[in-house]
Amino acid sequence: MTGDPARTWAVLGTGAFAQCLLRGLAHRPERVTTVHVIGRTGQRARDVAALATGHGTLAGTQVSFVPHDAGPAPTERLRPLLRSLRPTLLIVCASPQSPSEARTRDSDWARLLRRAGFGATLPLQAALVRDSVLACADASPGTQVVNACFPDLVNPALHAEGLPVVCGLGNVATLATATCARLGLRDESRLSLLAHHAHLSAPDDLRDEAAAWLDGAPLTELPKVLDEVRTMPRAFLNELGAHSAVPALHALTDPALSYTGHLPAPHGLPGGYPVRIDGSVLSLRLPPGMSRAEAVAFHREREHLDGVRLGEDGLLRLTPGTHAALRAYGADLPAVFRPADLPDLSRELLELRDRLRQTCSSSPPDQKEGP
């Protein structure tokens, strides 16, 4: 075991979100003394850890960032690593599929993602999170798992399979932080925002928009505020989301600290919510007159925006448009499947991705390119 478990965290991933999170921790470590940075290559992990260490030096803090090489298949080395480190938190910031690919590339795979919606990548987003929860249960039962990869749907799907994830990061927290900045609010406790991952972009139908309350009263100008927020580059929004996660993570692991803000998928609920953390206990902080069931229903009614729904029966259902887009590009995925099917579907999607990344046709044979 390395260090004091109560002050030891681990971050799985070395991408942009993980880097921002680590920089935030370097400047605000609180009682955390060691953060283990787990990357797919040793050099990448060392570089990212060194960057975070540099920020800690600038901030005058004492947190230590320790790199670890997990290799190209991280789950193979995760169990022995967790058994050795026993961190309080494992924060998953890595998946086989980057959310930015649909926006930044022009292969047939990128075209498929644009047509099908982000929910089509659910099996890929869930892969490392699922493996991480299983690895912790086996090798480090005291470690809590927090997920930054499409938590709005990944976390509920894993909970339906009996695999607990405490909460997610980003998404609603990102939008809440940016909204408070636009409104000039210094205290996020005045804002209650219900927002799904899909609300990072404006919905086609205003009835599908996020909802917010300011000081308990409906925030009627929310669509206008969010329109302004959404003009920010996605990388900037991700940075806000990563930094906003730091005080929430501290409150989860230190009973002396508290947090009032927003998090996606607390305790496996779909979508993002206003929350409070006191004594390391995470609870909802809903606007006056709204029940937990009503808040969950709000998000279930908007899951279609990402192209996949999780029913109360525990089954995942692709929307007709998403399923049709996948079939048009050669994906033989069922329209309805169980959370336990996600690993097999992930392997199928990876094989399809390998093929489609090599091509750059204008459209599949049976589907025209949209506007």
Side-chain angles (χ1 to χ4, degrees), residues 64-366:
S64 175
F65 295 91
V66 183
H68 299 273
D69 182 356
T75 53
E76 294 179 4
R77 301 186 187 178
L78 202 51
R79 277 177 172 78
L81 190 58
L82 288 169
R83 189 172 289 114
S84 170
L85 302 178
R86 300 293 179 94
T88 304
L89 278 182
L90 174 62
I91 307 159
V92 182
C93 301
S95 78
Q97 178 60 51
S98 169
S100 67
E101 184 166 355
R103 302 189 303 271
T104 58
R105 297 191 183 181
D106 195 28
S107 66
D108 272 353
W109 174 251
R111 291 174 181 271
L112 166 58
L113 297 182
R114 289 194 289 270
R115 291 182 184 281
F118 191 69
T121 71
L122 172 64
L124 300 179
Q125 301 301 326
L128 278 178
V129 188
R130 186 179 189 276
D131 288 344
S132 296
V133 175
L134 291 172
C136 285
D138 178 48
S140 185
T143 299
Q144 298 185 86
V145 178
V146 173
N147 169 38
C149 302
F150 196 19
D152 300 64
L153 193 55
V154 167
N155 291 15
L158 293 181
H159 270 256
E161 197 181 350
L163 301 176
V165 183
V166 177
C167 64
L169 302 178
N171 300 345
V172 68
T174 302
L175 293 174
T177 299
T179 296
C180 285
R182 290 282 175 176
L183 296 175
L185 303 179
R186 306 300 298 178
D187 184 356
E188 198 169 317
S189 66
R190 297 179 58 194
L191 180 71
S192 297
L193 177 65
L194 290 175
H196 196 273
H197 164 269
H199 289 123
L200 290 169
S201 300
D204 293 332
D205 188 335
L206 191 58
R207 290 174 295 182
D208 288 329
E209 185 58 280
W213 293 257
L214 179 62
D215 296 329
L219 183 61
T220 56
E221 65 265 37
L222 179 66
K224 179 182 177 181
V225 174
L226 288 180
D227 283 345
E228 295 173 349
V229 166
R230 290 164 179 149
T231 63
M232 295 176 65
R234 189 59 63 89
F236 292 6
L237 287 174
N238 284 341
E239 184 170 344
L240 289 178
H243 281 268
S244 71
V246 173
L249 295 173
H250 284 312
L252 281 174
T253 57
D254 189 340
L257 300 176
S258 62
Y259 170 77
T260 301
H262 295 77
L263 289 172
H267 302 306
L269 296 179
Y273 304 79
V275 300
R276 180 179 293 106
I277 304 173
D278 286 308
S280 298
V281 177
L282 172 61
S283 59
L284 299 185
R285 180 180 57 85
L286 297 175
M290 174 170 281
S291 68
R292 170 181 166 133
E294 289 169 333
V296 170
F298 175 92
H299 284 301
R300 291 202 185 280
E301 292 168 1
R302 288 156 178 80
E303 286 179 332
H304 69 93
L305 297 173
D306 271 324
V308 62
R309 302 172 182 267
L310 177 62
E312 294 184 8
D313 56 4
L315 294 177
L316 292 154
R317 292 173 171 83
L318 299 174
T319 61
T322 294
H323 190 236
L326 286 164
R327 296 290 294 237
Y329 278 90
D332 189 22
L333 267 65
V336 182
F337 52 93
R338 302 168 302 155
D341 297 328
L342 287 170
D344 290 337
L345 298 180
S346 176
R347 286 187 284 271
E348 291 183 31
L349 280 178
L350 287 174
E351 292 176 2
L352 177 68
R353 185 182 70 178
D354 288 343
R355 296 198 303 271
L356 295 183
R357 277 180 172 175
Q358 306 304 315
T359 60
C360 192
S361 60
S362 60
S363 62
D366 56 346

